[in-house]
Amino acid sequence: MELRHLRYFVIVAAHGSFNRAARILHLTQPALSRQVKDLEEELGVPLFDRGKNAVKLTEAGARFYDEAREVLARAELAVQRARGESGEDVLRVAYAPSATAGILPRVMQRFQTEHPKVRIELSDVSPPEMIRMAIDGRLDLIVALEPSVTATVGFQWTELRHITHVLVMGADHPLAKLKRIAPARLRDLALVGLGPPDFPDYVAHVQRLLKPFGFGPSFVALEPDGVSTLFASLEAYQAAAILADSVAEFMPRSLVCRPFSPKFAPMVAKIGVSATRPNPHAETFATLLREEVQQVSRKPRQ
């Protein structure tokens, strides 16, 4: 058994497809299938249930997957140390603030307490930049909202949390006096949104939310620089914005947010862990994120 066999297996498992894994590895699909078959024969157990268009891990494959990722991560770390490339362990994390609000500071504290010799490199960047960094091999872990970043190849994605939509507006906005906002009230309402190039999915996402109600959004401005600029525009235009409820953690006090009733389908935040170059600390960090989400969900809302 060689490390390349483990790497091939891990990438196939992460993507659930021999064809996709073969493209990532720059191999032909028959050659990759043969390598994985050799590994299964050496182990004496089948690792995959093979379907027409996808493959799934068997029970033995699922057990072997975690061990294989750990072996690859340790091997990568050993190579780096042998080459003198780094005097310390580094974990490179990119995140969307709306996906990690209310949990990231506590996770950082817990991780650094348990792993004081590991340096965390945090990147608060736009979805397109996350994709570029991931493709370039500059990230070990990503926390982002569906759908754009979570299609990035080379990462295994798991669900982290569901995030509710809210309407954000100035405290003096006419709708601010309401406890809940009916979606029908958004018809012809002046909205500010997030725009391209950094937020290419936002407008289409809002359009999908409102389509069942028979109208589309009335944007008066689209801000490409992020929520900080958007917050300022809300007051300037006396407008509102449809955002994740997690923005309440960092929005100015001059703004308020109100939930929708009935609720829109929630946004899904996911964790992506590199499958092509596993970092032994990435899964630990991911586990802490999931634990913190569970802790937060058990706390009563104020």
Side-chain angles (χ1 to χ4, degrees), residues 6-280:
L6 298 184
R7 183 166 179 257
Y8 295 164
F9 161 71
V10 164
I11 293 177
V12 172
H15 294 285
S17 167
F18 276 94
N19 286 331
R20 185 178 299 177
R23 289 196 296 269
I24 293 170
L25 293 164
H26 304 292
L27 294 172
T28 65
Q29 190 271 336
L32 177 58
S33 296
R34 186 170 59 253
Q35 294 289 335
V36 173
K37 191 66 176 176
D38 289 344
L39 177 61
E40 290 177 314
E41 290 177 356
E42 184 168 353
L43 293 173
V45 293
L47 299 174
F48 293 107
D49 286 326
R50 293 161 169 82
K52 288 185 177 180
N53 300 314
V55 295
K56 291 170 49 178
L57 286 170
T58 62
E59 185 176 340
R63 291 194 299 268
F64 188 65
Y65 177 74
D66 291 335
E67 299 295 335
R69 291 188 72 253
E70 180 70 16
V71 170
L72 289 172
R74 291 296 177 187
E76 177 70 19
L77 189 58
V79 170
Q80 292 175 358
R81 288 175 172 172
R83 291 173 175 172
E85 294 178 354
S86 175
E88 60 182 343
D89 289 354
V90 178
L91 177 63
R92 303 164 300 174
V93 179
Y95 69 100
S98 54
T100 59
I103 62 171
L104 187 58
R106 174 61 180 159
V107 170
M108 291 281 293
Q109 182 183 40
R110 288 182 61 190
F111 184 88
Q112 296 286 208
T113 298
E114 297 173 16
H115 306 277
K117 295 183 179 181
V118 179
R119 176 167 57 86
I120 300 177
E121 294 182 353
L122 283 180
S123 298
D124 173 5
V125 293
S126 67
E129 181 61 19
M130 282 188 194
I131 295 173
R132 285 190 290 270
M133 294 175 71
I135 292 173
D136 291 344
R138 292 183 284 143
L139 293 175
D140 303 306
L141 184 144
I142 301 172
V143 188
L145 299 175
E146 287 188 321
S148 59
V149 177
T150 56
T152 305
V153 298
F155 280 72
Q156 183 182 29
W157 295 92
T158 56
E159 188 174 295
L160 174 62
R161 67 199 302 197
H162 284 189
I163 300 175
T164 303
H165 297 84
V166 294
L167 190 69
V168 178
M169 67 210 109
D172 58 352
H173 191 282
L175 295 183
K177 62 185 178 183
L178 301 177
K179 291 184 178 181
R180 293 176 178 81
I181 307 296
R185 287 185 174 272
L186 299 179
R187 184 187 295 272
D188 300 323
L189 183 71
L191 295 174
V192 175
L194 297 169
D198 285 350
F199 301 93
D201 299 318
Y202 178 86
V203 171
H205 174 69
V206 174
Q207 289 172 336
R208 285 193 297 271
L209 292 179
L210 299 182
K211 185 176 180 180
F213 299 93
F215 62 91
S218 300
F219 289 114
V220 296
L222 292 174
E223 299 295 346
D225 297 327
V227 291
S228 296
T229 305
L230 181 147
F231 288 153
S233 293
L234 288 179
E235 299 185 78
Y237 288 100
Q238 295 186 321
I242 300 173
L243 296 171
D245 64 352
S246 50
V247 300
E249 297 282 340
F250 51 85
M251 71 183 189
R253 293 183 178 180
S254 58
L255 300 178
V256 297
C257 63
R258 298 289 183 262
F260 289 100
S261 180
K263 295 180 179 180
F264 294 118
M267 290 174 277
V268 178
K270 287 192 170 183
I271 302 172
V273 177
S274 176
T276 53
R277 299 187 66 179
N279 183 310

